[in-house]
Amino acid sequence: MKVFRRSMVAGCALLLGMSAAVAQDIVAYEVVDGTIPKSLTGTPGDPVAGREVMVDRRLGNCVACHTAGVFSDQQWHGEVGPPLDGVADRWDEASLRMIIVNAKAVYDGTIMPAFYRNDGFNRVAPKFAGKTIMSAQQVEDVVAYLMTLKD
Amino acid sequence: MRTHRGTILAACAVGLLVTSGPAMADQDEMPSIDGVKIVTRVAPPEGHPLTEIISGFEFRTKETQDLELDDFTNPGFLMVEQGEEAWSTVEGSAEKSCESCHGDAAESMKGVRAAMPKWSEAAGKPQTLEQHINSCRTERMGADAWKWESDQMLGMTAYVGLQSRGMPVGVDLKQGDMQSWWEKGKEFYYTRVGQLDMACANCHENNYGNYIRADKLSQGNSNGFPTYRLKWQKMGSLHRRFKGCMDNIRADAYKRGSDEFIALETYLAWRGQGLSVETPSVRN
């Protein structure tokens, strides 16, 4: 069992942050056997909001790489990742949360971005430095929506 | 099912290799522009990471391809014409034009684009076409250097590039210290950058043929540059494209003309060897 505590990072980033963006704090979470069993926020995810995050270019932009029957209203569908139909049958909530937070912990070397990570990157554009792609609550919302994708 | 076309494509390419040997794609099926054959698929040399080297042309729609195949409809020709005019326009304190020294571009500039970037002993590094043009301007013409993405530079690189159209891309890594620039470019190509944490290879080596949102991923080859990009409504340099790809993955992009981009251009020229120069290509 590993515990990630990342508040220190925020402090360092603040020093660098004079010219770059101010770092966000990131909530500590616990990884258990490659999954994140506990909600990041304690507030239940909202699947409707989660769907919005998934199609929004500036947030999840998940449909850039994934398709699914439920996204047939979207003009374009990505082919880089597998279709998400029935993901909730393949994965439990704790695993899905891990995949969204940091897919590399599940798939070594994957192209899929880590949506809730704010350090360990190379040459991040100043505007995004020290920030996560999604907020903790948005992760919960996306997980809630994915949990509705059953065959 | 439309997922993972890249894999299928690769599998097909391997299949072709087995049945028809390294000649691979049928040369008769290659497109041609104004009677000049354009090689859009070619077998890689040994040790190359791809099973087949494919031009960005092949990943575009028929409509976009058709624009490129006819110089009258190719929107890039507006700038080619500007470049042609500038070729014989006297500028600078030496009162010379490009033509004063180089004569007919159709003769003297043939093959120049195909061999870029070229080692420069004076600069002690590889120089791109833009840099060669600017050193002529500043050192031989006594004229100002053009900005990288200026209309003048785009016009001239397109006009000079056109003189190599149909010729195979082939960078000479034996000149000077080209090899170490190739190494640097290669390292960058496989290094993940930006908040999205991706390398060039993630999209252009592992996923070509797949759609990423509205874009069908190509192998990211450089043989068509400068290119007329429909999305830009304009001609653009290769380094503009590099910056665009880095911006998209939320990386802090290097500057046009930077050593990093010169190294990357050197490496990409090697990756795309054997493809025809398509300048000015049309992409979307």
Side-chain angles (χ1 to χ4, degrees):
Chain A
M1 193 220 279
K2 279 194 284 181
V3 181
F4 291 107
R5 297 217 181 275
R6 306 204 169 194
S7 28
M8 262 190 63
V9 176
C12 298
L14 257 177
L15 286 175
L16 295 167
M18 307 292 186
S19 59
V22 175
Q24 270 171 349
D25 212 341
I26 179 169
V27 302
Y29 57 84
E30 220 173 88
V31 177
V32 182
D33 296 333
T35 72
I36 305 175
K38 279 211 204 93
S39 163
L40 299 178
T41 61
T43 307
D46 169 4
V48 177
R51 188 182 201 280
E52 283 304 305
V53 169
M54 288 185 67
V55 299
D56 189 324
R57 262 172 202 283
R58 298 169 161 275
L59 291 169
N61 198 15
C62 312
V63 294
C65 293
H66 294 281
T67 185
V70 289
F71 293 121
S72 58
D73 61 321
Q74 296 293 309
Q75 198 183 357
W76 303 103
H77 298 106
E79 301 176 317
V80 169
L84 294 178
D85 299 292
V87 271
D89 298 325
R90 291 190 289 281
W91 300 96
D92 60 13
E93 187 187 304
S95 306
L96 288 173
R97 189 175 287 114
M98 184 78 248
I99 293 174
I100 308 309
V101 164
N102 180 10
K104 280 159 193 100
V106 177
Y107 301 101
D108 199 23
T110 187
I111 187 175
M112 182 163 153
F115 289 93
Y116 196 69
R117 219 178 112 188
N118 67 353
D119 65 348
F121 300 126
N122 254 330
R123 274 197 87 80
V124 177
K127 200 167 125 194
F128 300 105
K131 296 184 177 167
T132 59
I133 301 173
M134 289 170 12
S135 70
Q137 192 55 46
Q138 284 165 343
V139 173
E140 292 306 319
D141 294 346
V142 168
V143 170
Y145 186 65
L146 292 176
M147 286 305 290
T148 70
L149 302 182
K150 298 201 162 99
D151 274 337
Chain B
M1 202 182 108
R2 304 203 313 171
T3 39
H4 296 296
R5 282 221 205 118
T7 332
I8 295 168
L9 224 139
C12 293
V14 169
L16 271 170
L17 254 177
V18 172
T19 51
S20 63
M24 306 193 88
D26 188 346
Q27 296 289 316
D28 293 337
E29 281 170 21
M30 297 291 174
S32 68
I33 309 173
D34 211 5
V36 174
K37 192 174 288 175
I38 301 293
V39 174
T40 57
R41 292 170 177 274
V42 69
E46 215 165 307
H48 194 286
L50 299 165
T51 47
E52 187 178 19
I53 303 173
I54 309 171
S55 166
F57 178 91
E58 294 287 344
F59 298 88
R60 307 284 53 102
T61 60
K62 173 124 191 346
E63 293 78 52
T64 307
Q65 292 180 346
D66 285 348
L67 287 176
E68 180 181 314
L69 293 180
D70 182 347
D71 290 350
F72 286 102
T73 59
N74 183 336
F77 268 78
L78 233 74
M79 278 211 164
V80 169
E81 280 157 24
Q82 282 181 33
E84 183 172 17
E85 215 176 293
W87 178 261
S88 48
T89 305
V90 172
E91 261 193 86
S93 56
E95 294 183 20
K96 284 194 168 82
S97 70
C98 315
E99 194 181 29
S100 321
C101 294
H102 298 289
D104 184 1
E107 292 294 322
S108 62
M109 293 294 123
K110 203 176 167 66
V112 168
R113 176 68 185 86
M116 288 291 159
K118 258 189 199 156
W119 184 255
S120 156
E121 217 41 72
K125 51 176 154 175
Q127 297 278 274
T128 68
L129 185 53
E130 289 86 350
Q131 292 166 317
H132 282 282
I133 290 169
N134 267 344
S135 58
C136 277
R137 286 184 60 82
T138 55
E139 287 157 33
R140 302 206 174 89
M141 295 168 68
D144 291 340
W146 280 327
K147 289 224 167 71
W148 199 275
E149 207 65 40
S150 63
D151 285 0
Q152 293 103 317
M153 184 58 91
L154 291 167
M156 188 56 75
T157 51
Y159 178 63
V160 170
L162 176 66
Q163 312 310 321
S164 299
R165 194 162 67 180
M167 295 176 73
V169 170
V171 67
D172 182 0
L173 295 178
K174 290 197 197 71
Q175 302 166 11
D177 197 21
M178 288 293 274
Q179 191 63 38
S180 74
W181 287 75
W182 178 92
E183 300 282 354
K184 256 206 301 188
K186 178 180 176 187
E187 192 188 327
F188 181 21
Y189 193 87
Y190 290 100
T191 302
R192 288 172 184 264
V193 291
Q195 192 192 34
L196 302 196
D197 205 22
M198 293 179 196
C200 313
N202 285 128
C203 288
H204 294 299
E205 183 168 309
N206 305 333
N207 277 294
Y208 65 84
N210 284 330
Y211 274 93
I212 190 159
R213 203 140 194 165
D215 296 305
K216 193 180 202 180
L217 288 166
S218 74
Q219 293 180 344
N221 282 314
S222 56
N223 58 309
F225 284 83
T227 188
Y228 187 93
R229 191 163 181 229
L230 299 169
K231 189 177 156 195
W232 292 334
Q233 296 269 304
K234 203 174 182 232
M235 193 84 104
S237 72
L238 181 61
H239 293 197
R240 178 176 181 187
R241 181 74 247 194
F242 290 169
K243 179 176 167 3
C245 285
M246 288 188 78
D247 288 344
N248 285 342
I249 50 179
R250 301 184 175 181
D252 188 10
Y254 295 105
K255 299 260 176 297
R256 294 175 174 91
S258 62
D259 284 355
E260 288 82 3
F261 279 176
I262 296 173
L264 197 52
E265 181 168 344
T266 304
Y267 179 64
L268 277 199
W270 175 85
R271 279 180 81 94
Q273 62 190 283
L275 290 175
S276 291
V277 171
E278 280 175 40
T279 311
S281 68
V282 182
R283 301 287 189 257
N284 54 357

